[in-house]
Amino acid sequence: MMNLLHEMSVAYGYKLATELKAKAQEREQAEVEPEKSETAPQPVEKKSELEGTHKLSEEEKEKLSGREAKEKNEDKYGDLPAHIRRMLERLEEMKEELDVLRQEVAQLNAKIDHNNETEKALFDQKNQYFIQLQNQYFDMIKNVKEAMKEAGVTDMSVLLKAIA
């Protein structure tokens, strides 16, 4: 029985992770698509008097592509070593996942009939997963802090930005 619950918990965690990734991709596409629609010529029946009078410079194309914003986002960790950057990025991902999971647990708790064993088991499972993820999150914070000390990084504000 415990093994089954564990397997269900792992499967549910994988499902949550894939759903979060899918939502993130949808958000990225939603951010990119409006930019594309702004630069794409719109089919017009009549020719506009301004049509074809302005060509986008390479700098404007670069700005509209969003590449500059992505580079700034990637550079927010400054000159930290790559392994610390990955750890900080994972911390941010875990924080987002914890926020979503916290809301789900709260909603489940509000709706649950504590006399219904199935609903109670689902709530307990999701709550247990939340607690485990939270413990991993705090362990990751300790690991990042230790890795930063070992790398000689004294400015811990980067860590604070990642967890804030």
Side-chain angles (χ1 to χ4, degrees):
M1 181 66 176
M2 292 298 282
N3 193 17
L4 177 64
L5 286 176
H6 174 71
E7 288 179 24
M8 287 175 53
S9 176
V10 170
Y12 185 74
Y14 176 77
K15 179 183 170 204
L16 282 176
T18 54
E19 287 175 357
L20 283 173
K21 286 178 185 175
K23 287 179 185 177
Q25 288 175 347
E26 288 174 14
R27 272 188 258 129
E28 287 175 8
Q29 289 175 353
E31 291 173 359
V32 171
E33 287 176 8
E35 292 173 1
K36 287 182 182 176
S37 66
E38 291 173 9
T39 59
Q42 300 295 324
V44 180
E45 292 179 32
K46 293 182 182 179
K47 282 198 170 202
S48 167
E49 60 189 57
L50 297 176
E51 186 175 318
T53 60
H54 182 70
K55 298 274 185 186
L56 292 175
S57 69
E58 289 300 316
E59 184 179 313
E60 291 171 323
K61 287 179 184 177
E62 190 72 22
K63 187 179 254 185
L64 287 174
S65 74
R67 194 172 302 138
E68 183 180 330
K70 286 181 183 176
E71 288 174 2
K72 283 183 182 177
N73 192 26
E74 289 173 1
D75 195 35
K76 68 182 174 186
Y77 296 126
D79 57 348
L80 290 175
H83 71 285
I84 294 177
R85 284 176 179 251
R86 285 191 301 273
M87 292 171 82
L88 289 169
E89 289 168 359
R90 178 64 185 132
L91 262 178
E92 289 179 353
E93 291 170 4
M94 289 174 80
K95 184 177 182 282
E96 288 178 20
E97 189 176 350
L98 277 169
D99 290 342
V100 169
L101 201 53
R102 181 180 296 119
Q103 291 174 354
E104 289 178 5
V105 168
Q107 289 173 351
L108 253 177
N109 192 28
K111 292 185 215 175
I112 185 174
D113 175 13
H114 289 281
N115 295 327
N116 184 336
E117 291 298 319
T118 306
E119 289 181 4
K120 189 175 180 183
L122 178 64
F123 171 77
D124 290 343
Q125 178 184 2
K126 190 170 280 219
N127 194 39
Q128 185 64 34
Y129 177 68
F130 173 74
I131 291 169
Q132 289 173 349
L133 186 62
Q134 199 171 31
N135 288 337
Q136 290 174 1
Y137 179 73
F138 292 129
D139 287 344
M140 179 69 98
I141 291 172
K142 289 177 190 173
N143 292 338
V144 170
K145 194 184 319 180
E146 289 173 12
M148 289 174 77
K149 284 180 184 177
E150 289 174 7
V153 177
T154 57
D155 183 15
M156 294 291 172
S157 66
V158 177
L159 177 59
L160 292 175
K161 288 178 187 176
I163 62 176

Short mmCIF file of all heavy atoms in Angstrom, two decimals, residues 8 14 21 27 44 51 106-107 119 127:
data_model
loop_
_atom_site.label_atom_id
_atom_site.label_comp_id
_atom_site.label_asym_id
_atom_site.label_seq_id
_atom_site.Cartn_x
_atom_site.Cartn_y
_atom_site.Cartn_z
N MET A 8 2.32 6.63 -6.79
CA MET A 8 1.32 7.62 -7.19
C MET A 8 1.87 9.03 -6.96
O MET A 8 1.67 9.93 -7.77
CB MET A 8 0.02 7.42 -6.42
CG MET A 8 -0.76 6.19 -6.87
SD MET A 8 -2.23 5.84 -5.89
CE MET A 8 -3.09 7.39 -5.92
N TYR A 14 5.60 14.08 -11.35
CA TYR A 14 6.03 14.18 -12.73
C TYR A 14 4.96 14.89 -13.56
O TYR A 14 5.27 15.75 -14.38
CB TYR A 14 6.30 12.78 -13.30
CG TYR A 14 6.67 12.81 -14.76
CD1 TYR A 14 7.93 13.19 -15.17
CD2 TYR A 14 5.73 12.47 -15.73
CE1 TYR A 14 8.28 13.23 -16.50
CE2 TYR A 14 6.07 12.52 -17.07
CZ TYR A 14 7.33 12.89 -17.45
OH TYR A 14 7.66 12.93 -18.78
N LYS A 21 5.86 22.95 -17.07
CA LYS A 21 6.67 23.23 -18.25
C LYS A 21 5.79 23.64 -19.42
O LYS A 21 6.11 24.57 -20.16
CB LYS A 21 7.52 22.01 -18.62
CG LYS A 21 8.68 21.77 -17.69
CD LYS A 21 9.45 20.53 -18.07
CE LYS A 21 10.54 20.23 -17.05
NZ LYS A 21 11.22 18.98 -17.35
N ARG A 27 3.16 30.48 -21.99
CA ARG A 27 3.40 31.87 -21.65
C ARG A 27 4.47 32.48 -22.56
O ARG A 27 4.32 33.60 -23.02
CB ARG A 27 3.84 32.01 -20.19
CG ARG A 27 2.66 32.16 -19.25
CD ARG A 27 3.14 32.50 -17.86
NE ARG A 27 3.05 31.24 -17.10
CZ ARG A 27 4.01 30.71 -16.38
NH1 ARG A 27 5.15 31.31 -16.23
NH2 ARG A 27 3.84 29.57 -15.75
N VAL A 44 -4.15 44.26 -46.33
CA VAL A 44 -5.00 45.43 -46.46
C VAL A 44 -5.52 45.48 -47.89
O VAL A 44 -4.76 45.28 -48.84
CB VAL A 44 -4.20 46.73 -46.14
CG1 VAL A 44 -5.07 47.96 -46.27
CG2 VAL A 44 -3.60 46.64 -44.75
N GLU A 51 2.56 52.68 -46.44
CA GLU A 51 3.02 51.31 -46.66
C GLU A 51 4.37 51.29 -47.35
O GLU A 51 4.58 51.96 -48.36
CB GLU A 51 2.00 50.55 -47.52
CG GLU A 51 2.35 49.08 -47.66
CD GLU A 51 1.27 48.33 -48.40
OE1 GLU A 51 0.09 48.58 -48.12
OE2 GLU A 51 1.61 47.50 -49.24
N ALA A 106 -4.41 24.41 -0.69
CA ALA A 106 -5.39 25.26 0.00
C ALA A 106 -6.78 25.06 -0.59
O ALA A 106 -7.78 24.96 0.14
CB ALA A 106 -4.98 26.72 -0.07
N GLN A 107 -6.88 24.98 -1.91
CA GLN A 107 -8.17 24.77 -2.57
C GLN A 107 -8.72 23.39 -2.23
O GLN A 107 -9.92 23.25 -1.97
CB GLN A 107 -8.04 24.92 -4.08
CG GLN A 107 -7.83 26.35 -4.53
CD GLN A 107 -7.54 26.44 -6.02
OE1 GLN A 107 -7.34 25.45 -6.69
NE2 GLN A 107 -7.51 27.68 -6.52
N GLU A 119 -10.95 11.38 -0.95
CA GLU A 119 -10.60 12.79 -0.98
C GLU A 119 -9.53 13.11 0.06
O GLU A 119 -8.60 13.87 -0.21
CB GLU A 119 -11.83 13.68 -0.74
CG GLU A 119 -12.80 13.69 -1.89
CD GLU A 119 -14.00 14.58 -1.63
OE1 GLU A 119 -14.04 15.26 -0.58
OE2 GLU A 119 -14.91 14.59 -2.47
N ASN A 127 -0.49 17.17 -0.02
CA ASN A 127 0.11 17.91 1.08
C ASN A 127 1.49 17.35 1.41
O ASN A 127 2.44 18.10 1.67
CB ASN A 127 -0.80 17.88 2.31
CG ASN A 127 -0.40 18.89 3.35
OD1 ASN A 127 0.00 20.00 3.02
ND2 ASN A 127 -0.49 18.50 4.61
#
